[in-house]
Amino acid sequence: MIINKTAILLIAAPDKKGLVYALTDYIYHNNGNILHAEQHIDLSNNIFFMRIEWDMGTFGIEKAAIWASLEKIKIEYQMHMSLYFSEDKISTAIYISQTDHCLLELLYNNNQNNLMEIKLIVSNHEKHREIATYYNIPFYFIPIFKENKGLQEGRQLSLMQEQKIELIVLARYMQILSPDFVGLFPHKIINVHHSFLPAFVGADPYKQAYNRGVKIIGSTAHYVTDTLDDGPIISQQTVAVSHKDKYEDFVEKGKHLEKQVLLTATRKHLEHKILVFDNKTVVFD
Amino acid sequence: MIINKTAILLIAAPDKKGLVYALTDYIYHNNGNILHAEQHIDLSNNIFFMRIEWDMGTFGIEKAAIWASLEKIKIEYQMHMSLYFSEDKISTAIYISQTDHCLLELLYNNNQNNLMEIKLIVSNHEKHREIATYYNIPFYFIPIFKENKGLQEGRQLSLMQEQKIELIVLARYMQILSPDFVGLFPHKIINVHHSFLPAFVGADPYKQAYNRGVKIIGSTAHYVTDTLDDGPIISQQTVAVSHKDKYEDFVEKGKHLEKQVLLTATRKHLEHKILVFDNKTVVFD
Amino acid sequence: MIINKTAILLIAAPDKKGLVYALTDYIYHNNGNILHAEQHIDLSNNIFFMRIEWDMGTFGIEKAAIWASLEKIKIEYQMHMSLYFSEDKISTAIYISQTDHCLLELLYNNNQNNLMEIKLIVSNHEKHREIATYYNIPFYFIPIFKENKGLQEGRQLSLMQEQKIELIVLARYMQILSPDFVGLFPHKIINVHHSFLPAFVGADPYKQAYNRGVKIIGSTAHYVTDTLDDGPIISQQTVAVSHKDKYEDFVEKGKHLEKQVLLTATRKHLEHKILVFDNKTVVFD
Amino acid sequence: MIINKTAILLIAAPDKKGLVYALTDYIYHNNGNILHAEQHIDLSNNIFFMRIEWDMGTFGIEKAAIWASLEKIKIEYQMHMSLYFSEDKISTAIYISQTDHCLLELLYNNNQNNLMEIKLIVSNHEKHREIATYYNIPFYFIPIFKENKGLQEGRQLSLMQEQKIELIVLARYMQILSPDFVGLFPHKIINVHHSFLPAFVGADPYKQAYNRGVKIIGSTAHYVTDTLDDGPIISQQTVAVSHKDKYEDFVEKGKHLEKQVLLTATRKHLEHKILVFDNKTVVFD
């Protein structure tokens, strides 16, 4: 059984009896077949979260009319809703500085499963042009200095708007984006921080970890917010280190983690499996 | 919000449109509030699995009448159903041979969360009587030899029936139960095998693993079936070993795994979160 | 080949040619057989660390005379040395507050491998007396309030001195020891902190972790120093959590980590496999 | 302190008093400075293993004369010895079939740390030529059918001999090499098997694992011997799976493991940290 086109609904609402019923009733009576449904109740805040995905093949309402048709339920249950369609690829920009292992992981994997449309690569280093060319993706070298920072961010913003970018992946981009820029992309910028947050916020976390003498290092993918390294965490991984590991070994071991958490987080985002509430994420399987 | 009494329904059925709707409709129109709902579709076999749990506090049908009230849905959708109530503690027997680390883990944890009623401990070694007494659980010393095996199993069976045992946990019990005995408890006997199954079936898996020179060892909790170490796997864990680990270190490191996989598997069973199909398990979160 | 009595030498020294030679020469010419030798060079500080263990069975120098016989090498190579003998069991005190899972793990394991002599258990809660009695270990109920803290610590100190305590294991002891007390036991107090340090220093780290929305929690065993939760880290472990885990689940999952890191760290200490330098540990295998 | 040129000695010998002394004496009196020394005693077989690495900068014997100068110790202690120099890069061939993720991992990492000289890539699929060209490595398309197998292996052998290949890395090469070919490269062919050996020997282990319903999958890097998937294991890793993972997810998750175990194993080999005994490996840190 191969399903080609699906609709995906993400919901957050105050928990209330009849909520699930209302949604399944809507889908059933419009001739839809539910393929995936996952729900979560945050008991301390009494918030209900749901992701529901159904087959568009037999569905009785056209794509363009679905949003309006959900209006009644939405109001009755005070739902925050987002609606996505599996056929719509998300337009993405990848930002990168010196190291390219995260970029390569994203490019290689997207070549396999084709979940996003990578519209452009932005870097403050010229050297990644070759790999971008190899993958046929437009490359923009935008160097950043203290003096030109505002200007260059404006240039970036124009690019994002021209290309209708819906997701920015910071694949080891070592510049801090301004709150104004970040504010335009709420929960639409994913960053990989090379530590097990909230340990070692800020610069060179491997050096910090090495100096502290930890026995495990980690990596964190999170949405970017105004506060540095404080956004909602999407994915984390850790690996053991010991006194035998030099600082360089921390960096080396960390690369594997960084690649994996960023790939996992990006994929979850592209599959519309993440809901954010109270600076925390619900990440459905 | 504290929920005291809930009903739990486990369902397996051929996937069909309207299935989820039928269930949520049933619960909603009987004034129930869904607390947890998890579903899984096995796409290769087109089987739908669901666990749905709702609050009994407001529910309009009495406990004793629920099963009958589900009859119509059950037939219409060809559902295999099991119904449980959170207030009904499962009557359990624990079997054990020489080592007691798994027993202690189960006793300690049940003292904390009180998920099962441990009716008796059966062992082919007298020495565990003291710890059973400490926890106020009846202890039965039932030694097994080649000659008395059938007889002793009969004795065990009488005990199980007297105590209405619904779950048998083999917490490192080194005797093989007969197919006849096993047949009376389908998916109601949980065993911990001290290897990463299907590697190292049979006797002394740590010795086998040591001799093979593996770099990781594992442990597996599974339901017991006719075929040795071949039943549906519920939980597995692994840990790294190296040339520095002697056979004794394998045994020692393995103990931590055994405790954890057996505890996890038992808990999932007691929470009615496991469905078995095609010798595999669906284990809901 | 069973070795009963061994000598263990821990060494830290400025790295210098001939160092290993001097030690092996000493052991060889006194008829000793090296059983284990591990070394580590901290390249950034140019410090050499070594643990060397040899059979006392054939060794030509008596136990009491060994220390003096090492004097020459010690001075020539500016070595910091510690000498231990496997037959000398370390006198230990265990401190505990509310939860007993770490205590039980230590007691159960020491019953198996008998690495330390647990002289007493100290608790600010009376309720653990029963388990202490079960294991035949003297139990001291020493409640702590703001007003009596100094007094009670004095009482503890007397007990430590009477019993010649060489190691204090804080097995989830929720009182902060005074700098004066800590100063008397340098690298001789092991604490388990229920977070992945340096994240979530201080009180209720699981609550902090839950509120931050992390996807992995951890546990840390470390030597206690003047600065809270800042001592040299010996062992760390982590486990995955998700939005499905409530605060109580964090606590429950964390228990397994706490038991393991504390057991591992205590064992490494008892086997004389830890060297401390620059607030970091070298932990030999 | 940067060390450029080092000598590395790998030793296996019957354990005997004076062994370590003889080696340190040799190095010390020839003015060498030991940088790394690791030893292991296999107590059940009474075999001593050692890896010792020293600075060639100050060493009193020339590179070409070292082997002969070790003759006396070698004979006296019945040592099996291998001598390597850090400046000599190992000539390597990489074999690959359909999937290229392991190849890319090896190429990318070798570009960073430059541990081996990759002389050629052999594949039974033409499609990898482009990536070989990108990295400037000669590519040989050698298709294999039942009829031409012997012939093509002969062609491969010629290539290996022409290029003086010392290590063959099978980076997901799905053809079975003949015993004759394997016999020419003892402990010089590293394979990655996409299961947690010894579970799921042979073809399509992910399918086997999926059908068995395991909860963890693994990957194994090992030296190739005559017996399929039975050679000495060098590195293994595992990752959790669940009923939610389809066969394709097993394959996808497994790729990360395969890359890591093959990279780790290859690196350990290139750093001369592996000793083989009794079909098992000693892998020094």
Side-chain angles (χ1 to χ4, degrees), chain D residues 67-82:
Chain D
W67 185 250
S69 73
L70 285 160
E71 190 69 11
K72 207 177 138 258
I73 299 176
K74 204 176 140 186
I75 288 166
E76 187 178 345
Y77 290 93
Q78 300 168 268
M79 288 178 182
H80 288 258
M81 269 187 185
S82 315

Side-chain angles (χ1 to χ4, degrees), chain C residues 2-283:
Chain C
I2 305 236
I3 306 295
N4 285 309
K5 299 187 180 181
T6 66
I8 297 147
L9 202 54
L10 288 184
I11 297 144
D15 192 24
K16 199 176 151 184
K17 200 165 58 184
L19 221 148
V20 178
Y21 170 70
L23 289 162
T24 53
D25 179 60
Y26 164 81
I27 294 167
Y28 178 68
H29 286 108
N30 287 302
N31 219 22
N33 190 25
I34 296 171
L35 300 169
H36 296 286
E38 287 193 280
Q39 62 175 76
H40 170 64
I41 300 173
D42 180 329
L43 288 171
S44 44
N45 294 295
N46 210 34
I47 307 283
F48 174 88
F49 301 94
M50 191 168 201
R51 182 190 187 273
I52 192 158
E53 182 170 4
W54 67 92
D55 187 2
M56 283 295 288
T58 59
F59 200 58
I61 305 178
E62 275 185 53
K63 201 175 149 179
I66 292 180
W67 186 250
S69 74
L70 286 160
E71 191 68 11
K72 206 175 139 260
I73 298 176
K74 204 176 140 187
I75 289 166
E76 186 177 348
Y77 290 93
Q78 299 168 268
M79 287 177 183
H80 289 258
M81 268 188 187
S82 313
L83 179 66
Y84 305 97
F85 298 96
S86 62
E87 66 180 324
D88 301 340
K89 294 250 162 62
I90 289 188
S91 296
T92 308
I94 302 180
Y95 277 51
I96 174 175
S97 290
Q98 278 284 4
T99 57
D100 60 359
H101 56 282
C102 286
L103 173 68
L104 288 173
E105 190 76 4
L106 291 169
L107 294 175
Y108 180 79
N109 277 278
N110 203 51
N111 242 24
Q112 310 273 311
N113 54 37
N114 209 14
L115 285 174
M116 57 185 162
E117 197 169 345
I118 305 172
K119 294 277 192 174
L120 72 165
I121 295 169
V122 170
S123 182
N124 54 336
H125 293 269
E126 174 65 24
K127 67 176 179 176
H128 304 297
R129 189 180 296 278
E130 190 186 4
I131 190 72
T133 308
Y134 183 85
Y135 277 94
N136 279 317
I137 299 170
F139 177 84
Y140 295 86
F141 170 48
I142 305 184
I144 308 273
F145 310 102
K146 210 182 277 184
E147 305 75 32
N148 72 357
K149 198 168 168 154
L151 198 73
Q152 296 293 58
E153 219 175 50
R155 216 178 125 204
Q156 287 174 22
L157 188 56
S158 302
L159 281 168
M160 300 303 121
Q161 286 166 341
E162 277 166 29
Q163 297 294 330
K164 299 190 169 56
I165 294 304
E166 299 158 289
L167 174 68
I168 298 173
V169 181
L170 307 182
R172 296 294 313 268
Y173 182 66
M174 308 313 281
Q175 299 293 324
I176 297 174
L177 300 168
S178 75
D180 284 352
F181 187 93
V182 169
L184 293 168
F185 299 94
H187 306 149
K188 288 181 174 168
I189 307 176
I190 297 175
N191 181 46
V192 59
H193 184 73
H194 39 312
S195 88
F196 181 77
L197 286 176
F200 311 128
V201 164
D204 208 345
Y206 291 131
K207 183 63 84 182
Q208 295 181 54
Y210 179 76
N211 290 339
R212 179 61 185 91
V214 295
K215 300 300 184 188
I216 286 181
I217 55 168
S219 197
T220 306
H222 64 96
Y223 286 121
V224 175
T225 59
D226 277 13
T227 312
L228 183 65
D229 300 332
D230 190 51
I233 293 170
I234 307 168
S235 177
Q236 295 189 300
Q237 284 202 25
T238 55
V239 72
V241 290
S242 81
H243 63 271
K244 284 170 271 192
D245 292 298
K246 295 184 295 296
Y247 165 68
E248 292 74 18
D249 300 316
F250 277 51
V251 173
E252 190 68 27
K253 285 190 170 183
K255 282 183 180 175
H256 290 286
L257 302 180
E258 294 163 24
K259 290 194 293 189
Q260 286 188 49
V261 296
L262 187 60
L263 189 67
T264 300
T266 304
R267 194 165 178 164
K268 289 289 182 190
H269 183 96
L270 296 172
E271 294 173 343
H272 311 294
K273 290 186 170 169
I274 310 178
L275 281 150
V276 178
F277 176 78
D278 198 17
N279 208 41
K280 294 159 80 167
T281 58
V282 170
V283 182

